[in-house]
């Protein structure tokens, strides 16, 4: 299903949950896996210095150090790597989001798996700790392939994905996300839950907020899900449910996923505005990433959609 | 030891030699070898006789060591007015001494001269504005660097930097293939948001050929994307060359004049090959100095001009705003105290202070621009100019040099510094990391993109959300 997986990791324990999912998927689908670590942007002018993830100290990114990092990654993931048919370790120096995207493009990756940010880089206040951060945001927005993020231990992942929530805002990007959700659901023979949340924050006007108005929109959204998605599912429709709630999308998506005991959330990430000043609490996707108890996968484009059962 | 394996008089000309030098962490072996490096006195004096021309000879002769240049030098001020930091002292105790002794100097002297040339002068040329005789010590220090480089007495990072230009024609190991791939990548990445956006490579007879700084494709390719978007919005007919796209010159910082010539010739060859009406360079100060101000002389251009009119990015932005190619949404103008970092190389050495202010008048709400003191042509170097930013050996001195800029910025009360120069941008970033004064810094491109009005016909057609 995913021929080549890029697993972007800091190598720190924060990424263990993501590692479990990444390697498990590689094993399950017989995928090639590339373990990727970015040393961070050369901090000082034109010098070769980078920040060490563990110590936060400046080090020289010379061949000896790079080999040391490679060796540590090999040791950290020794057991998982030994179980992979084809695996490699790649290291880069640079801006992490850029280098993840660069490698994904160069390797023609079918999936990027990322964990939460390592603490070594996150000596900051609540905002920095609580929000996934610019790396995920930029990668999720620009990648041509699906991006799977595991921010918390994925308790229900033990047996693989079987209960998939697809959250849509009916955008064009969501069409790609729907195709991905459908392909995964077919491949794992799981249940699919089609979900939309009517964004009440966007309807803050006395007229739009009448109960009848809201209920009318909910009915309309339900109809749209039926027409745009459910009607195209064929056999899979038997294992599919439709739900439309109102509220703040990220809250409702997380609540819905919890209620359905989902082990994967699929959605698009198509935020054009990346300026954190304009969007202090992040996009819906970013908030879902932080809060969801299961892995979240996002895709905006049709370029690298997996086909069910082609692994 | 006449010459070492790492530290010697031979320029880096192969990838293999470059990698070997890079493998010497922090130049430990390189500097150890430099302790033993011998001066080729005959060659040094012969070089001086060929190149030390009347202008500099006159400058050295007429310098009365009056000391009026002292207070002009931020390194003198920030180092507790140490007399050894007086510009005239710095040049007389190095170049002046070499000339006086007719090149009869030893390794210890050259190592001392290297420290002076690269850690006590950023070639910012500020002192020249205060000299009653108009003596430009920055220019003379640049010449001194050339002498030192030719004898192998050059900081490790700059020997590598000059070698990069010789091997890759770029200050970093960005090959033609990497560069073209980056252009395709960035165009592809923007196509959802900017339908029809292209980064045309090697288009002949375009109105604009764009050149940049290798740090952009290497680490910040979005800078290239931002340039492309702004050209797209402005409706420009533009291109980038597949070769000759790198405008910077670390070899100029190193004093490797041959590499400077090779580098700038590559850019000029691209201009001659593609025949653009004019060339626009990125937001970089020294790149402009290297390719536009000094480059024509290195390349032996008879008219002292590049093959086509060549402007700095602030000139293009000011023109685009003036002519309405880029229109700013007044509601999105900067409404917080903001200050502007004048880059020595395109402000003091190219006279674009007012052009930069013209841009600010469009993008900053009146009353929110707080100028540094002093400013424009009299502004101080960021603290990291002339290669100072990148030299590990002189990092403590560089960090101290940043204090001038820190205090200038703090005095404005601004939380945002606009710095359309890579070197200044790096120095201000490092200054924030070093001293934590809670400021932001930005190039022009991302700021413009936040506030520019996008014409309706350029917007993506699909509607993201129907809700």
């Amino acid at each position: 299903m995913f021929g080549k997986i890029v697993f972007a990791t800091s190598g720190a324990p924060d990424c263990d949950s993501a590692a479990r999912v990444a390697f498990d998927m590689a094993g399950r689908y017989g995928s090639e896996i590339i373990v990727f670590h970015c040393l961070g942007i050369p901090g000082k002018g034109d010098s070769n210095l980078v920040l060490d993830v563990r110590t936060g100290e400046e080090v020289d990114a010379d061949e000896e150090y790079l080999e040391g990092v490679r060796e540590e990654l090999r040791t950290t993931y020794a057991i998982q790597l030994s179980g992979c048919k084809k695996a490699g370790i790649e290291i880069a120096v640079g801006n992490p989001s850029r280098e993840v995207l660069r490698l994904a493009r160069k390797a023609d990756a079918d999936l990027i798996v990322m964990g939460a940010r390592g603490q070594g880089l996150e000596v900051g206040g609540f905002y920095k700790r609580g929000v996934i951060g610019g790396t995920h945001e930029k990668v999720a927005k620009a990648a041509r392939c699906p991006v799977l993020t595991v921010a918390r231990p994925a308790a229900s992942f033990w047996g693989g994905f079987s209960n998939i929530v697809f959250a849509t805002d009916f955008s064009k990007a969501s069409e790609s996300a729907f195709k991905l959700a459908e392909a995964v659901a077919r491949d794992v023979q799981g249940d699919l839950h089609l979900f939309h949340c009517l964004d009440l924050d966007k309807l803050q006007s006395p007229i739009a907020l009448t109960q009848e108005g809201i209920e009318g929109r909910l009915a309309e959204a339900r109809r749209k899900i039926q027409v745009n998605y459910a009607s195209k599912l064929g056999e899979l429709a038997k294992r599919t449910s439709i739900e439309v709630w109102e509220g703040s999308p990220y809250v409702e998506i997380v609540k819905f996923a919890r209620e359905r005991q989902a082990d994967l959330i699929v959605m698009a990430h198509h935020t054009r505005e990346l300026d954190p000043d304009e969007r202090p609490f992040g996009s819906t996707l970013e908030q879902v990433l932080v809060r969801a108890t299961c892995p979240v996968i996002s895709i905006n484009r049709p370029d690298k959609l997996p086909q069910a059962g082609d692994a | 030891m006449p010459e070492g394996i790492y530290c010697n008089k031979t320029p880096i000309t192969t990838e293999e030699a470059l990698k070997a030098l890079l493998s010497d962490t922090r130049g430990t072996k390189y500097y150890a070898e430099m302790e033993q490096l011998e001066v080729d006195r005959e060659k040094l004096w012969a070089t001086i006789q060929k190149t030390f021309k009347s202008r500099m000879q006159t400058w050295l002769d007429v310098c009365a060591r009056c000391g009026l240049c002292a207070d002009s030098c931020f390194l003198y001020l920030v180092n507790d007015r140490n007399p050894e930091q007086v510009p005239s002292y710095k040049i007389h105790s190095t170049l002046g001494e070499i000339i006086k002794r007719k090149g009869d100097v030893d390794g210890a002297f050259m190592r001392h001269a290297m420290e002076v040339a690269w850690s006590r002068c950023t070639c910012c040329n500020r002192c020249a504005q205060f000299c009653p005789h108009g003596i430009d010590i920055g220019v003379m220090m640049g010449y001194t660097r050339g002498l030192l480089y030719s004898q192998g007495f050059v900081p490790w990072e700059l020997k590598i930097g000059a070698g990069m230009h010789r091997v890759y024609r770029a200050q970093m190991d960005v090959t033609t293939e990497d560069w073209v791939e980056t252009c395709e990548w960035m165009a592809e990445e923007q196509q959802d948001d900017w339908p029809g956006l292209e980064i045309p490579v090697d288009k002949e007879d375009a109105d604009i050929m764009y050149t940049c700084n290798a740090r952009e494709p290497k680490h910040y390719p979005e800078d290239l994307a931002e340039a492309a978007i702004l050209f797209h919005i402005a409706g420009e007919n533009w291109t980038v060359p597949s070769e000759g796209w790198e405008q910077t010159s670390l070899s100029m910082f190193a004093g490797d004049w041959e590499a400077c010539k090779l580098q700038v010739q590559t850019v000029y060859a691209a201009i001659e090959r593609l025949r653009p009406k004019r060339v626009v360079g990125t937001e970089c100060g020294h790149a402009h100095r290297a390719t536009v101000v000094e480059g024509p002389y290195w390349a032996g251009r008879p008219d002292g001009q590049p093959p086509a009119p060549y402007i700095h990015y602030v000139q293009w932005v000011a023109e685009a705003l003036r002519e309405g190619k880029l229109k700013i949404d007044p509601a999105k103008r900067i409404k917080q105290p903001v200050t502007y970092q004048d880059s020595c190389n395109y402000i003091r050495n190219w006279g674009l202070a007012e052009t930069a202010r013209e841009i600010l008048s469009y993008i900053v709400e009146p009353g929110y621009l707080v100028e540094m003191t002093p400013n424009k042509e009299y502004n101080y170097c960021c603290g990291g100019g002339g290669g100072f930013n990148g030299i590990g050996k002189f990092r403590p001195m560089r960090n101290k040099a940043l204090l001038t800029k820190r205090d200038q910025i703090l005095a404005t009360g601004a939380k945002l510094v606009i710095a359309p120069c890579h070197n200044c941008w790096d120095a201000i970033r490092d200054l924030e990391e070093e001293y934590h004064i809670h400021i932001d810094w930005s190039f022009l491109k991302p700021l413009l993109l936040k506030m520019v009005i996008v014409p309706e016909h350029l917007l993506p057609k699909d509607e993201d959300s129907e809700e």
Side-chain angles (χ1 to χ4, degrees):
Chain A
M1 179 146 181
F2 298 107
K4 198 181 275 184
I5 297 173
V6 168
F7 167 45
T9 175
S10 68
D14 310 55
C15 291
D16 285 354
S17 307
R20 190 155 64 85
V21 176
F23 284 106
D24 195 67
M25 286 180 80
R28 195 176 299 268
Y29 299 121
S31 321
E32 176 183 348
I33 187 163
I34 303 173
V35 176
F36 177 70
H37 177 70
C38 182
L39 292 166
I41 200 137
K44 305 293 172 185
D46 303 310
S47 69
N48 295 323
L49 297 176
V50 296
L51 289 182
D52 186 278
V53 166
R54 273 182 321 178
T55 62
E57 284 173 6
E58 285 178 6
V59 290
D60 293 274
D62 55 18
E63 200 38 56
E64 193 183 335
Y65 178 74
L66 296 182
E67 189 44 45
V69 174
R70 255 182 233 117
E71 187 51 40
E72 261 200 68
L73 286 170
R74 263 194 291 271
T75 312
T76 306
Y77 300 120
I79 297 168
Q80 292 100 319
L81 283 167
S82 65
C84 292
K85 277 204 303 195
K86 201 170 171 200
I89 293 177
E90 292 275 349
I91 293 184
V93 176
N95 186 333
S97 60
R98 269 294 144 221
E99 297 312 314
V100 171
L101 288 166
R102 197 192 299 268
L103 177 75
R105 182 178 157 87
K106 191 175 151 201
D108 197 19
D110 299 299
L111 179 72
I112 298 170
V113 180
M114 302 179 81
R117 287 173 76 158
Q119 271 191 323
L121 292 171
E122 285 298 324
V123 188
F126 168 81
Y127 177 76
K128 282 192 169 179
R129 282 201 301 275
V131 175
I132 289 288
T135 301
H136 292 73
E137 185 81 5
K138 287 173 186 162
V139 171
K141 179 174 187 293
R144 312 305 288 188
C145 66
V147 178
L148 176 69
T149 310
V150 189
R152 291 171 165 207
S156 63
F157 189 64
W158 209 252
F161 302 129
S162 60
N163 214 353
I164 298 139
V165 164
F166 163 63
T168 179
D169 62 356
F170 302 114
S171 63
K172 193 179 173 198
S174 285
E175 287 171 22
S176 298
F178 169 69
K179 286 181 184 142
L180 173 66
E182 183 192 351
V184 174
R186 284 189 199 283
D187 196 70
V188 302
Q189 296 176 340
D191 292 342
L192 181 61
H193 307 284
L194 308 176
F195 181 77
H196 172 72
C197 174
L198 184 64
D199 190 349
L200 287 187
D201 295 340
K202 280 193 181 169
L203 300 175
Q204 289 294 354
S205 87
I207 303 163
L209 271 182
T210 62
Q211 195 54 33
E212 289 78 12
I214 291 172
E215 282 166 18
R217 281 167 180 269
L218 291 176
E220 171 59 18
R222 213 168 273 121
R223 190 192 64 79
K224 240 195 250 180
I225 290 186
Q226 182 61 45
V227 173
N228 293 2
Y229 309 120
S231 63
K232 298 169 183 168
L233 289 173
E235 267 300 286
L236 181 57
K238 290 180 190 159
R239 305 195 304 273
T240 301
S241 73
I242 296 175
E243 198 77 46
V244 179
W245 292 1
E246 74 275 27
S248 290
Y250 72 85
V251 176
E252 303 308 317
I253 292 169
V254 172
K255 274 162 60 182
F256 179 71
R258 198 171 58 214
E259 190 199 281
R260 296 296 159 105
Q261 296 182 324
D263 38 37
L264 182 68
I265 298 173
V266 184
M267 57 194 289
H269 168 57
H270 49 91
T271 306
R272 290 216 162 85
E273 185 54 72
L274 284 176
D275 181 359
D277 296 338
E278 303 288 325
R279 217 176 20 70
F281 299 108
S283 66
T284 299
L285 174 70
E286 193 176 323
Q287 288 298 315
V288 172
L289 287 176
V290 176
R291 293 159 201 276
T293 46
C294 65
V296 180
I297 192 165
S298 72
I299 185 164
N300 295 341
R301 298 174 183 82
D303 314 45
K304 299 285 292 178
L305 282 169
Q307 300 299 312
D310 69 355
Chain B
M1 182 184 63
E3 296 202 45
I5 299 164
Y6 297 94
C7 184
N8 49 49
K9 298 176 179 59
T10 314
I12 300 289
T13 52
T14 63
E15 196 170 31
E16 196 186 4
L18 192 59
K19 284 188 175 155
L21 193 54
L22 270 165
S23 71
D24 174 24
T25 305
R26 297 197 188 193
T28 320
K29 294 173 198 156
Y30 177 88
Y31 287 119
E33 286 179 0
M34 194 185 279
E35 295 286 323
Q36 307 295 322
L37 186 65
E38 287 177 5
V39 183
D40 183 343
R41 295 179 174 85
E42 279 179 26
K43 188 184 161 208
L44 180 60
W45 184 237
T47 307
I48 289 169
Q49 284 178 308
K50 264 193 284 180
T51 57
F52 190 65
K53 300 284 172 61
S54 57
R55 179 177 66 155
M56 273 185 275
Q57 181 68 65
T58 309
W59 279 345
L60 269 188
D61 288 347
V62 302
C63 175
R65 307 181 204 198
C66 64
L68 282 176
C69 54
D71 280 347
S72 71
C73 180
F74 75 105
L75 284 160
Y76 169 75
L77 298 176
V78 86
N79 284 295
D80 307 321
R81 298 177 185 268
N82 181 349
E84 292 186 358
Q85 289 278 3
V86 175
S88 69
Y89 179 82
K90 286 188 266 199
I91 201 66
H92 279 287
S93 63
T94 53
L95 180 63
E97 199 64 22
I98 298 174
I99 305 285
K100 204 163 88 184
R101 295 198 214 164
K102 293 188 165 41
D104 186 16
V105 290
D106 60 9
F109 176 88
M110 295 294 262
R111 291 194 298 278
H112 166 71
M114 179 181 90
E115 189 183 326
V116 175
W118 277 283
S119 80
R120 299 188 198 170
C121 177
T122 61
C123 302
C124 77
N125 308 79
R126 190 172 188 270
C127 50
Q129 294 176 298
F130 295 87
C131 174
H133 297 295
I135 296 168
D136 196 331
I137 285 162
V139 167
M140 283 198 280
M141 201 56 92
Y143 175 77
T144 311
R145 288 181 176 193
L147 294 179
L148 291 162
Y149 176 87
S150 70
Q151 293 285 327
F153 294 90
V154 57
W156 175 70
E157 289 88 347
L158 289 180
K159 176 105 180 194
I160 291 168
M164 288 280 183
H165 284 288
R166 286 170 175 271
V167 175
Y168 299 106
R169 294 291 185 276
Q171 63 159 284
M172 291 178 158
D173 56 348
V174 181
T175 62
T176 301
E177 195 185 14
D178 293 339
W179 161 251
V180 173
E181 159 65 18
T182 305
C183 292
E184 284 169 16
W185 176 27
M186 283 301 111
E188 183 187 298
E189 204 168 87
Q190 298 305 323
Q191 276 162 0
D192 287 353
D193 292 347
W194 301 96
L197 179 133
E198 287 180 340
I199 301 184
V201 180
D202 282 342
K203 184 169 155 189
E204 295 181 354
D205 302 305
D207 293 338
I208 287 173
M209 183 181 104
Y210 180 66
T211 55
C212 64
N213 178 324
R215 292 175 70 74
E216 294 166 10
K218 181 79 178 178
H219 292 308
Y220 315 98
E222 55 271 25
D223 194 289
L224 174 66
E226 287 161 359
I229 294 167
L230 288 164
F231 283 143
H232 183 66
I233 294 172
E236 296 283 17
N237 168 22
W238 71 294
T239 188
V240 291
S242 56
E243 287 179 5
W245 53 271
E246 157 70 307
Q247 198 195 337
T248 71
S249 182
L250 290 187
S251 34
M252 177 174 76
F253 291 158
D256 181 353
W257 306 126
E258 191 185 358
C260 288
K261 183 177 177 179
L262 293 171
Q263 178 62 48
V264 81
Q265 279 177 332
T266 316
V267 181
Y268 292 173
I271 300 174
E272 281 162 349
R273 182 164 47 91
L274 300 178
R275 302 175 304 279
K277 288 196 180 64
R278 56 183 181 159
V279 191
V280 177
T282 188
E283 297 177 64
C284 185
H286 96 269
H288 191 74
R289 179 170 179 171
T291 313
V292 185
V293 186
E294 304 204 18
Y297 301 99
W298 298 334
R301 302 277 309 167
D303 57 356
Q305 298 292 326
Y310 208 132
I311 60 174
H312 188 269
Y313 203 74
V314 301
Q315 288 175 280
W316 179 78
V317 172
E319 177 195 287
L321 292 168
R322 195 187 308 136
E323 295 180 358
K325 287 181 195 167
L326 295 177
K327 292 193 181 80
I328 298 298
D329 180 348
K332 293 181 180 168
R333 300 212 289 195
I334 299 169
K335 294 183 187 63
Q336 59 162 321
V338 59
T339 191
Y340 188 84
Q341 163 60 16
D342 289 297
S343 153
C344 304
N345 284 320
Y346 71 80
I347 301 282
R348 188 159 26 250
N349 291 324
W350 200 243
L352 298 183
E354 292 309 326
T355 315
R357 267 53 187 192
E358 187 183 349
I359 297 171
L360 298 174
S361 75
Y362 287 95
I363 66 173
V364 180
E365 188 81 357
Y368 285 92
L369 173 66
V370 191
E371 291 279 12
M372 291 185 209
T373 307
N375 57 52
K376 300 179 185 170
E377 290 84 359
Y378 292 101
N379 196 20
Y380 289 114
C381 165
C382 57
F388 211 1
N389 264 345
I391 306 169
K393 186 177 173 66
F394 301 142
R395 180 56 41 82
M397 293 84 133
R398 198 290 305 255
N399 286 348
K400 192 162 188 192
L402 296 176
L403 289 171
T404 305
K405 193 53 58 186
R406 180 195 71 173
D407 295 343
Q408 266 193 302
I409 294 170
L410 284 176
T412 65
K415 294 290 174 209
L416 173 65
V417 185
I418 302 176
C421 167
H422 271 271
N423 216 61
C424 302
W425 190 97
D426 276 350
I428 292 166
R429 178 194 63 184
D430 285 4
L431 147 73
E432 173 59 32
E433 281 183 14
E434 198 64 30
Y435 299 108
H436 311 293
I437 58 171
H438 308 300
I439 50 158
D440 287 323
W441 55 95
S442 180
F443 287 113
L444 282 171
K445 296 182 195 102
L447 291 176
L448 288 164
L449 277 176
K450 275 188 203 170
M451 55 184 87
V452 71
I453 298 171
V454 181
E456 196 66 34
H457 70 279
L458 295 180
L459 290 169
K461 292 287 172 275
D462 66 288
E463 188 46 54
D464 260 357
S465 172
E466 293 174 20
E467 288 301 325

